[in-house]
Amino acid sequence: SGNRVALVAMYPTPDPAMPELISNHGLRMIEATLRAAGIGGLDLHIFDLHDAAVDELVDALIQLDPDVIAFSSYLWSFPLFAKVAIQLRRDDPTRLIIFGGPSARSSMFDQLPFRSLRDAVDLLIINEGELTFLEIMKATDRHRDALGAIRGIAQWYGSEWRETQTRPLADLNQLPSPYVMGLVPPGGLGVLQTYRGCPYTCSFCEWGTMESPKRVRTSDHLAEEFVAMAKNQVTGALLVDAGLNLNSRAFDQLEIAADQTGFFRERKLICEVYPAKVTDQHIRFLSKIGKPLVGVGLQSFDNAVLAHVERSFDEERFEYNMQRLTDVARVAIEIIMGLPGDSPEQFRSSFHRARSFPCAL
């Protein structure tokens, strides 16, 4: 019933290829939503980690003794957080333990290494977490059955998972920005989002949905965030949208905000571009950025392989757009090893073909 809350997230140890620190944006969005709501007596503690040991994290959380502990779980952090959560449950069964993030799925908890975790976690937040978490914190009764009335969660009932009704997707312009609220540590790369979801449903990815890309942030909302990011001394922004060019309405608003603020003139932008949908507008936009770094998710040069994952490849269009992109940006072609239907020989062919372009792989 208490309002002392610990939000815990961990990114992998920084890669030498991207040494700048990145704040965990999912965690910061939850933090911003809770702080903006003005919850009485809220005592919020943030663990925005880039490395952690199980025993040290357990000790720190037990010493803090929060009423609610929420983990933002990804593939790289899930095993560690699973061990931490089990120990926290043994220490005090009355704590409310929550898992959110991309790996907060019943299918993860049903895997053999993590089945014991099912009894240690009170609920999973499915999909977007801001408004669901806010409703949990506002609830006057947090017992199992009462929480079971909240939309957008899943609970383990000894032999089965019970998932509540899907929560309606949020208006992104109504969600507070952690940068505008001054919650993100200074420096490093900013995290930029202009829409959520992806219009494609590639079978190697669980991101795709035909609905959520309709929700976009306005240029005014983005411009306000750019001003706050600049004050925060970021070196640039990592665009975490599915792609720079997969939502035309969102891109238009991004371009307007970037032009109004001049945010990218002397900064970097790291983004993904879908190669078949590059237009003159995208090329002009990239040409105005101080340091554009573009990833092109081709996945394979073999259309027979791509057919297995609901993708396709137009060779002539790809070569034309790669030429245009490499004229204005540093580009990396991205391919996936081990796709269904692939073979060592086919992958090697894609590898050498990718290396023939004037870009990274």
Side-chain angles (χ1 to χ4, degrees):
S1 61
N3 284 344
R4 177 175 290 179
V5 182
L7 301 180
V8 187
M10 185 183 73
Y11 272 165
T13 302
D15 190 295
M18 188 185 289
E20 295 163 293
L21 290 179
I22 305 171
S23 180
N24 188 298
H25 195 60
L27 174 146
R28 295 295 176 182
M29 288 295 291
I30 298 290
E31 179 189 9
T33 300
L34 294 181
R35 294 195 187 280
I39 298 172
L42 180 67
D43 183 14
L44 189 56
H45 298 261
I46 304 301
F47 291 76
D48 188 357
L49 309 172
H50 286 264
D51 194 12
V54 172
D55 291 342
E56 291 177 0
L57 183 54
V58 169
D59 289 345
L61 289 168
I62 289 176
Q63 184 175 358
L64 177 64
D65 193 23
D67 306 294
V68 180
I69 303 176
F71 297 93
S72 179
S73 56
Y74 294 76
L75 283 172
W76 53 79
S77 61
F78 192 93
L80 182 139
F81 288 164
K83 295 175 182 177
V84 171
I86 289 171
Q87 292 193 43
L88 292 172
R89 173 61 79 218
R90 291 181 189 141
D91 174 73
D92 183 354
T94 67
R95 291 192 183 102
L96 186 68
I97 298 179
I98 301 170
F99 268 59
S103 291
R105 297 290 185 274
S106 59
S107 56
M108 280 290 285
F109 287 74
D110 289 340
Q111 300 304 310
L112 185 59
F114 306 121
R115 289 178 188 172
S116 60
L117 181 61
R118 296 182 293 198
D119 293 316
V121 174
D122 293 289
L123 58 89
L124 314 181
I125 293 181
I126 307 298
N127 299 322
E128 296 182 358
E130 292 94 348
L131 299 184
T132 302
F133 202 105
L134 180 60
E135 186 173 346
I136 292 169
M137 289 307 304
K138 286 184 173 181
T140 56
D141 184 353
R142 297 188 195 142
H143 290 97
R144 173 188 287 256
D145 291 341
L147 291 173
I150 293 177
R151 292 175 293 183
I153 69 166
Q155 296 170 298
W156 174 248
Y157 276 82
S159 60
E160 65 176 359
W161 288 97
R162 297 181 189 175
E163 190 168 325
T164 62
Q165 286 184 316
T166 301
R167 176 174 293 275
L169 299 171
D171 180 345
L172 301 184
N173 297 292
Q174 297 300 315
L175 296 178
S177 164
Y179 291 98
V180 174
M181 293 182 67
L183 302 178
V184 182
L189 275 172
V191 180
L192 174 63
Q193 185 174 59
T194 69
Y195 65 95
R196 287 180 176 174
C198 177
Y200 291 94
T201 53
C202 307
S203 60
F204 56 80
C205 176
E206 293 192 12
W207 203 345
T209 168
M210 300 308 291
E211 294 302 322
S212 57
K214 295 177 183 177
R215 301 173 302 142
V216 306
R217 295 176 65 189
T218 65
S219 58
D220 289 343
H221 204 235
L222 291 169
E224 185 182 19
E225 189 162 83
F226 284 150
V227 171
M229 282 185 177
K231 291 180 180 178
N232 209 39
Q233 301 176 343
V234 299
T235 60
L238 171 66
L239 185 70
V240 294
D241 297 344
L244 178 74
N245 61 336
L246 289 183
N247 188 318
S248 58
R249 288 176 53 234
F251 178 79
D252 288 341
Q253 297 302 302
L254 171 62
E255 185 174 37
I256 292 169
D259 287 343
Q260 284 179 347
T261 62
F263 177 77
F264 286 114
R265 286 176 194 154
E266 304 296 331
R267 294 184 176 89
K268 69 179 67 171
L269 172 65
I270 302 175
C271 64
E272 294 290 316
V273 167
Y274 194 79
K277 293 186 174 293
V278 175
T279 68
D280 292 343
Q281 184 184 10
H282 301 127
I283 298 298
R284 285 196 302 271
F285 174 78
L286 291 169
S287 70
K288 293 183 287 185
I289 293 172
K291 188 177 181 182
L293 305 170
V294 175
V296 176
L298 177 65
Q299 320 316 349
S300 174
F301 281 88
D302 192 318
N303 263 317
V305 172
L306 290 176
H308 286 284
V309 291
E310 300 177 37
R311 292 285 290 267
S312 61
F313 160 60
D314 182 322
E315 185 168 349
E316 185 175 347
R317 176 183 287 270
F318 180 82
E319 291 193 355
Y320 172 65
N321 284 330
M322 281 298 296
Q323 177 62 57
R324 295 204 291 170
L325 287 169
T326 53
D327 284 344
V328 297
R330 291 177 59 185
V331 181
I333 295 177
E334 299 161 357
I335 59 177
I336 296 178
M337 181 167 64
L339 288 172
D342 205 355
S343 69
E345 292 74 25
Q346 288 168 312
F347 178 79
R348 186 174 290 108
S349 176
S350 287
F351 175 90
H352 289 299
R353 181 72 188 281
R355 294 296 295 130
S356 70
F357 288 86
C359 60
L361 170 61

